[in-house]
Amino acid sequence: MWDKLRNSFAMADCDADPQIMVWAHRYTQNPQRFEQEMSDALPRIVYVQQAAEKHDVAGEFVLLPWVESQYRPVPGHRNLPAGMWQLVQSTARVMGLHVGHGYDGRLDTSAATDSVMRMLHDYHDELHDWRLVDYAFNRGENGVQRMVQQHGMPPDEPAIPKWPVPKVTREHLTKLLAISCVVRDPSRFNVDLPTLPADQHLETVQIKHDMTLSTAADHAGMETDDLKRLNPALQGNFLSADTPGHLLMPRRNAELLRSAMQIANEQGMTASTSPNTPLPAMYADKQDQSTQDEAPRHARTHIVKSGESLWQIARNYSVSVNTLERLNHLHGKPLKPGQVLKLDSVGH
């Protein structure tokens, strides 16, 4: 993986600017800690490398989350950036990432990585210089376009363009080239890069049925907390077919979960022709929740607040969008603040 990554680098090497070496030595001043941090991030690094290859993006950008967050899924507070890519809400929405109560697409490793790589590819199609692509990621595409109009395209040298950009923008590119420098020649900094067995590479599993995360973890052969750490965008314990229906997990666990879902689907097909056949165990927990209390109860309702979507409400109450549309005769009608929605059909 590291050789493949090095071969995809497209920008300057370690000695192109003295500041690159300054930052490379800062990153590796404690070799043991650096190696541990790299080891912790490696599953995500491998995943991002595959996405960069898919979108034909320069290898240096695989290491961009190191500069932004060291690959940590930083939670968003108010209008602050979030996720390992450190995206603000406005940028995330332009990229097509949903940000709302119960789910934050900026923390969704698979969705955010694919969106970022597609954006970086588009930037390069417009700017034709990977250095400017990094500036655009840090400062915004429009600002870089204005700089090109005012100053023209920068020459190949120096490696860090001498443009009148903020110090933080110039330093962002320097840091990216510095961590790339360490990957180019780790022995120069007395560090060893970690390896990752193939069965621990991360994969995305599509979920086509309503399911709790604890059920998914059980069938994938992993701890629920470990599954949640890999999928921090999901802030509840319920995954619905009406929400972004995928989970990220190691390959060995992904194979177990896919196998379990296939068996459950086959059992479900049999159950549909035989009313006495029990619901497949994989999805039985949802039925158990609805039948465990046989005492009469009233239907639940929700009062729509300004800005809420049907998707958000469905997720908050662990019901499907289709159910809400059917119970409330919506069928595509927009929600109105103050509107009372039925959440279930129990009313006896």
Side-chain angles (χ1 to χ4, degrees):
M1 191 282 294
W2 294 115
D3 285 340
K4 184 182 288 188
L5 182 57
R6 293 183 191 103
N7 290 335
S8 65
F9 284 166
M11 288 190 276
D13 62 18
C14 299
D15 300 310
D17 187 289
Q19 283 300 307
I20 295 174
M21 286 299 293
V22 169
W23 274 100
H25 282 295
R26 285 182 186 175
Y27 285 142
T28 56
Q29 60 186 343
N30 185 329
Q32 265 191 323
R33 186 175 66 186
F34 175 83
E35 290 171 358
Q36 183 59 55
E37 290 168 343
M38 269 288 174
S39 182
D40 292 342
L42 189 54
R44 286 186 170 88
I45 295 174
V46 173
Y47 189 87
V48 175
Q49 190 272 333
Q50 293 169 346
E53 188 175 26
K54 170 186 169 185
H55 289 283
D56 196 23
V57 170
E60 286 91 346
F61 291 92
V62 173
L63 303 167
L64 186 55
W66 176 274
V67 177
E68 295 290 339
S69 65
Q70 287 194 334
Y71 297 88
R72 292 190 293 264
V74 181
H77 298 292
R78 298 182 181 176
N79 295 321
L80 296 177
M84 71 178 189
W85 295 101
Q86 286 291 277
L87 303 172
V88 295
Q89 286 194 26
S90 58
T91 301
R93 291 194 173 101
V94 168
M95 296 166 66
L97 295 172
H98 179 81
V99 178
H101 183 73
Y103 173 83
D104 188 337
R106 296 173 298 173
L107 278 70
D108 187 328
T109 299
S110 57
T113 296
D114 193 69
S115 294
V116 168
M117 287 299 163
R118 188 165 55 248
M119 180 180 71
L120 295 174
H121 176 88
D122 291 344
Y123 282 174
H124 190 258
D125 278 352
E126 296 172 11
L127 299 167
H128 311 291
D129 188 320
W130 288 115
R131 299 171 299 170
L132 301 190
V133 170
D134 183 74
Y135 278 8
F137 183 87
N138 178 258
R139 189 166 182 247
E141 179 189 11
N142 292 336
V144 174
Q145 290 281 19
R146 286 194 296 270
M147 294 289 289
V148 171
Q149 292 171 4
Q150 294 170 8
H151 303 281
M153 293 294 292
D156 292 341
E157 294 181 359
I160 312 297
K162 290 191 178 300
W163 270 11
V165 295
K167 179 182 177 182
V168 66
T169 300
R170 184 177 291 103
E171 196 169 75
H172 189 273
L173 176 57
T174 305
K175 291 178 179 178
L176 182 62
L177 295 178
I179 188 62
S180 303
C181 165
V182 177
V183 170
R184 279 182 193 273
D185 192 2
S187 61
R188 188 171 182 175
F189 304 93
N190 300 312
V191 296
D192 292 318
L193 297 179
T195 58
L196 188 71
D199 66 350
Q200 293 181 28
H201 290 194
L202 296 179
E203 291 187 356
T204 300
V205 179
Q206 297 300 321
I207 308 296
K208 298 181 180 179
H209 297 277
D210 294 357
M211 188 186 305
T212 61
L213 286 181
S214 53
T215 298
D218 182 54
H219 286 273
M222 59 191 303
E223 296 294 328
T224 302
D225 287 345
D226 292 336
L227 184 60
K228 286 182 176 180
R229 274 192 290 272
L230 288 171
N231 297 274
L234 298 169
Q235 295 163 19
N237 189 42
F238 193 76
L239 188 69
S240 166
D242 296 309
T243 63
H246 56 256
L247 290 171
L248 192 68
M249 62 186 67
R251 180 178 299 169
R252 61 172 182 262
N253 305 105
E255 291 171 352
L256 289 173
L257 180 56
R258 290 192 188 103
S259 177
M261 288 193 297
Q262 182 177 355
I263 293 171
N265 286 336
E266 291 170 355
Q267 291 177 351
M269 290 175 65
T270 304
S272 67
T273 61
S274 176
N276 295 323
T277 304
L279 189 71
M282 189 168 200
Y283 312 121
D285 58 348
K286 196 178 173 196
Q287 187 183 57
D288 291 344
Q289 291 172 4
S290 63
T291 58
Q292 63 185 350
D293 184 4
E294 297 296 334
R297 55 191 176 93
H298 296 287
R300 297 178 298 163
T301 59
H302 174 80
I303 299 176
V304 178
K305 302 180 183 65
S306 178
E308 279 190 316
S309 69
L310 201 62
W311 183 90
Q312 291 171 309
I313 296 168
R315 186 172 192 82
N316 291 346
Y317 290 98
S318 297
V319 298
S320 71
V321 170
N322 291 337
T323 297
L324 291 182
E325 288 183 329
R326 176 175 53 80
L327 291 175
N328 298 279
H329 309 290
L330 294 175
H331 307 300
K333 297 177 183 177
L335 296 179
K336 299 178 181 178
Q339 182 177 356
V340 178
L341 295 181
K342 293 179 182 179
L343 301 173
D344 51 45
S345 58
V346 179
H348 57 278

